[in-house]
């Protein structure tokens, strides 16, 4: 019993000693890592640059995300910064080049440009080379900067820029010289020229995936390019569908407190316009009294749909027979065929038929379409005998409903085909006629009393 207690106590003491030894070993390493951390003094040249009158360069340093990189560089060695004056970056810099530097995708070029102005060594104004010497120094961007002096004036030159304020800011860990212009390394200039000529952002022509012939398990040969002047691959109606330039822009979206269109008011407005315009009373009467089409149009417009109405005038409506209007649903079918679910004006329709020759417009009488083509400087609807010309253009246009007057009632092409009646022809049975030579022979045999022996004579 005592032996078990003593052994347990020894184990606990051993564990405590191991923990203390671990802490004693870890503490020196932690203190060493803290001693290597970089701390920027308030008297640093980097802080002086951010607080100096070189505000444009300081702003570029912040936008290039180089503060941490420069802090590490200043912590390792002294630096010499060549700071362009603010006017050089505000007024004398190409706006297109400045826009290129500030684009997010060109952050690397901006960083190289700024690091090109910093040399990782201290160079005071009195350490500048003489007239006969020229020295080059490595910059933080791994490029070279040449320091020279003009022979006549003795002005200090770095690269292609003159030093206008030597020893502008002096700090224990670095120095700042003011220069007249921005220094641009060759790598940044090449990136800008490549970007300007669109070499790096040129769009790649999309190519379809290769197709395999299931019969031969080989790649199909691509179709040869279409020859100039060949008909388009898409039909005219498919080409017209996405083309906003062929049709005028519709009215803006629904507004107001209820956020919907007032379709009933718009339908009443266009019917009143038809009556005041004159010559379309029969069409308006059928829409309002004979059918419920006016109410249906109001609901469609309230939902945001657009309509183009081909309205036949009174002379065309007078040609309709009683049989055409007496069949159940006939007035509705006639009206539906004159409603196009698009917003078209006289100008847009004429431009379409002039461009494509013949255009098929969808109608509310599905699946029938109305054909439009150019004729005599106007638009002609329909084909064959049942055609109608655009007679009164743009009677009513409000962005949702367009009314175009026509001089005829339109019917689908299937209904315009005449019905061919079958005429029964009576069959005429013709008796076989005997030849003249056989008749003469039978007559002679009859005279001799021998005609009964020959069946051909009976």
């Amino acid at each position: 019993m005592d032996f078990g207690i003593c052994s347990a106590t020894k184990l606990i003491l051993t564990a405590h000693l191991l923990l203390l030894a671990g802490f004693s070993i870890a503490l020196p390493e932690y203190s060493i890592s803290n001693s290597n951390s970089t701390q920027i003094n308030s008297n640093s040249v980097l802080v002086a640059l951010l607080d100096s009158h070189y505000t444009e360069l300081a702003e570029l340093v912040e936008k290039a995300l180089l503060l941490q990189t420069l802090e590490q560089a200043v912590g390792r060695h002294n630096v010499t910064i060549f700071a362009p004056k603010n006017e050089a970056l505000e007024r004398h810099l190409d706006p297109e080049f400045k826009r290129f530097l500030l684009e997010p995708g060109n952050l690397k070029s901006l960083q190289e440009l700024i690091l090109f102005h910093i040399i990782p060594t201290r160079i005071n104004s009195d350490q500048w080379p003489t007239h006969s010497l020229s020295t080059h120094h490595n910059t933080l961007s791994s490029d070279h900067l040449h320091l020279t002096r003009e022979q006549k004036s003795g002005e200090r030159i770095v690269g292609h820029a003159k030093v206008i304020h030597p020893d502008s800011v002096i700090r224990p860990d670095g120095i700042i010289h003011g220069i007249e212009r921005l220094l641009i390394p060759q790598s940044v200039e090449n990136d800008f020229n490549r970007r300007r000529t669109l070499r790096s952002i040129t769009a790649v022509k999309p190519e379809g995936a290769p197709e395999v012939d299931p019969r031969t398990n080989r790649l199909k040969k691509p179709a040869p390019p279409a020859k100039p002047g060949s008909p388009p691959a898409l039909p005219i109606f498919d080409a017209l569908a996405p083309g906003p330039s062929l049709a005028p822009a519709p009215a803006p979206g629904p507004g107001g407190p209820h956020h919907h269109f007032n379709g009933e008011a718009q339908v009443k407005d266009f019917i009143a316009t038809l009556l005041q315009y004159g010559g379309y009373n029969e069409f308006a009467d059928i829409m309002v009294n004979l059918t419920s089409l006016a109410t249906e149009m109001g609901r469609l417009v309230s939902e945001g749909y657009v309509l183009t109405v081909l309205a036949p005038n009174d002379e065309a409506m007078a040609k309709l027979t009683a049989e055409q209007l007496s069949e159940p649903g006939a007035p509705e079918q006639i009206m539906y065929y004159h409603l196009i679910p698009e917003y078209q004006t006289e100008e847009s329709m004429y431009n379409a038929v002039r461009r494509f020759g013949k255009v098929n417009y969808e109608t509310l009488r599905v699946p029938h379409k109305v054909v439009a083509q150019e004729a005599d400087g106007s638009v002609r609807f329909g084909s064959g005998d049942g055609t109608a010309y655009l007679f009164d253009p743009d009677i009513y246009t409000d962005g949702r409903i367009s009314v175009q007057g026509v001089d005829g009632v339109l019917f689908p092409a299937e209904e315009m085909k005449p019905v061919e009646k079958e005429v029964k022809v009576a069959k005429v049975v013709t008796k076989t006629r005997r030849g003249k030579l056989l008749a003469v022979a039978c007559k002679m045999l009859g005279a001799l009393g021998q005609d009964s022996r020959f069946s051909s004579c009976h």
Side-chain angles (χ1 to χ4, degrees):
M1 185 72 179
D2 295 338
F3 177 76
I5 295 174
C6 292
S7 61
T9 306
K10 289 181 180 180
L11 288 174
I12 294 173
L13 291 174
T14 305
H16 280 288
L17 290 174
L18 290 175
L19 288 174
L20 291 174
F23 279 116
S24 63
I25 294 172
L27 284 174
E29 294 180 357
Y30 181 77
S31 61
I32 292 173
S33 63
N34 279 345
S35 62
N36 291 335
S37 61
T38 304
Q39 293 183 357
I40 299 299
N41 190 3
S42 60
N43 198 26
S44 173
V45 67
L46 183 58
V47 177
L49 173 64
L50 299 178
D51 295 338
S52 66
H53 59 276
Y54 300 106
T55 56
E56 292 293 327
L57 180 62
E59 184 178 355
L60 289 181
V61 170
E62 294 180 357
K63 291 182 178 179
L65 307 178
L66 286 176
L67 290 177
Q68 185 176 1
T69 303
L70 296 180
E71 287 177 1
Q72 296 175 359
V74 171
R76 288 193 297 265
H77 39 63
N78 286 5
V79 296
T80 300
I81 302 176
F82 299 100
K85 60 181 181 179
N86 292 334
E87 291 79 3
L89 296 175
E90 289 179 349
R91 305 174 185 175
H92 303 157
L93 191 63
D94 185 9
E96 187 176 354
F97 180 69
K98 188 174 183 179
R99 193 181 309 113
F100 163 78
L101 293 176
L102 297 180
E103 288 180 359
N106 303 324
L107 180 62
K108 184 178 179 181
S109 299
L110 179 60
Q111 292 176 347
E112 291 182 0
L113 178 73
I114 295 175
L115 295 178
F116 187 66
H117 292 74
I118 303 174
I119 296 177
T121 183
R122 187 186 186 95
I123 302 176
N124 297 329
S125 59
D126 54 356
Q127 297 175 346
W128 221 267
T130 58
H131 300 285
S132 59
L133 297 177
S134 174
T135 60
H136 66 275
H137 298 270
N138 293 330
T139 63
L140 292 182
S141 64
S142 301
D143 291 322
H144 299 287
L145 264 182
H146 292 271
L147 305 182
T148 57
R149 190 189 294 265
E150 284 192 358
Q151 296 182 359
K152 296 182 179 180
S153 61
E155 293 180 344
R156 300 172 181 83
I157 298 176
V158 51
H160 298 285
K162 295 181 181 180
V163 179
I164 55 178
H165 297 294
D167 301 338
S168 177
V169 178
I170 300 176
R171 291 294 185 270
D173 56 356
I175 189 170
I176 299 177
H177 300 292
I179 57 178
E180 65 172 356
R181 53 179 295 186
L182 186 69
L183 301 176
I184 303 176
Q186 188 64 35
S187 59
V188 176
E189 186 176 352
N190 293 338
D191 292 342
F192 173 66
N193 292 333
R194 193 181 304 112
R195 181 79 176 184
R196 185 167 54 180
T197 56
L198 302 179
R199 293 178 183 175
S200 61
I201 59 173
T202 302
V204 179
K205 184 179 180 180
E207 296 181 358
E211 297 182 5
V212 179
D213 192 350
R215 296 174 298 177
T216 60
N217 291 330
R218 294 181 179 179
L219 294 178
K220 292 183 179 180
K221 295 182 179 180
K227 297 181 180 180
S230 58
L234 291 176
I236 295 177
F237 188 74
D238 293 342
L240 272 172
S245 60
L246 298 178
H258 302 290
H259 298 284
H260 62 79
F261 295 106
N262 191 355
E264 295 182 0
Q266 289 181 277
V267 172
K268 290 180 181 178
D269 190 15
F270 104 79
I271 291 178
T273 304
L274 275 180
L275 297 176
Q276 294 178 2
Y277 192 87
Y280 294 91
N281 297 335
E282 296 294 334
F283 181 80
D285 182 56
I286 292 178
M287 289 192 64
V288 177
N289 299 324
L290 193 58
T291 64
S292 60
L293 196 59
T295 305
E296 295 179 8
M297 288 180 60
R299 293 174 182 174
L300 289 175
V301 175
S302 297
E303 293 294 332
Y305 293 96
V306 293
L307 293 171
T308 298
V309 182
L310 303 179
N313 55 17
D314 290 344
E315 295 181 2
M317 297 295 292
K319 297 179 182 179
L320 291 176
T321 62
E323 296 178 356
Q324 292 175 328
L325 295 175
S326 61
E327 296 181 3
E332 287 82 358
Q333 296 297 328
I334 294 175
M335 293 294 104
Y336 284 148
Y337 192 65
H338 290 76
L339 297 181
I340 299 175
E342 301 178 21
Y343 184 76
Q344 298 285 344
T345 61
E346 184 268 340
E347 182 180 2
S348 64
M349 288 184 175
Y350 185 71
N351 290 337
V353 296
R354 282 292 302 272
R355 180 178 178 182
F356 296 103
K358 185 180 291 186
V359 181
N360 292 327
Y361 289 107
E362 296 278 357
T363 64
L364 293 187
R365 187 176 177 180
V366 181
H368 299 288
K369 300 179 181 180
V370 61
V371 181
Q373 53 188 343
E374 193 269 340
D376 301 331
S378 181
V379 182
R380 185 179 66 185
F381 299 96
S383 58
D385 296 334
T387 59
Y389 284 84
L390 185 57
F391 191 69
D392 292 322
D394 297 340
I395 298 176
Y396 179 85
T397 53
D398 65 347
R400 310 301 305 177
I401 300 175
S402 172
V403 181
Q404 308 294 326
V406 294
D407 61 352
V409 180
L410 300 172
F411 292 94
E414 293 79 0
E415 298 182 3
M416 297 299 297
K417 293 181 180 179
V419 180
E420 297 181 357
K421 296 182 179 180
E422 295 182 359
V423 179
K424 295 183 179 180
V425 180
K427 294 182 179 180
V428 179
V429 180
T430 58
K431 296 181 179 181
T432 58
R433 298 177 60 186
R434 294 181 295 181
K436 291 183 178 181
L437 183 60
L438 181 60
V440 172
C442 290
K443 189 175 182 180
M444 292 176 62
L445 290 173
L448 298 175
Q450 301 293 330
D451 58 341
S452 60
R453 296 184 179 182
F454 298 94
S455 60
S456 300
C457 294
H458 297 284

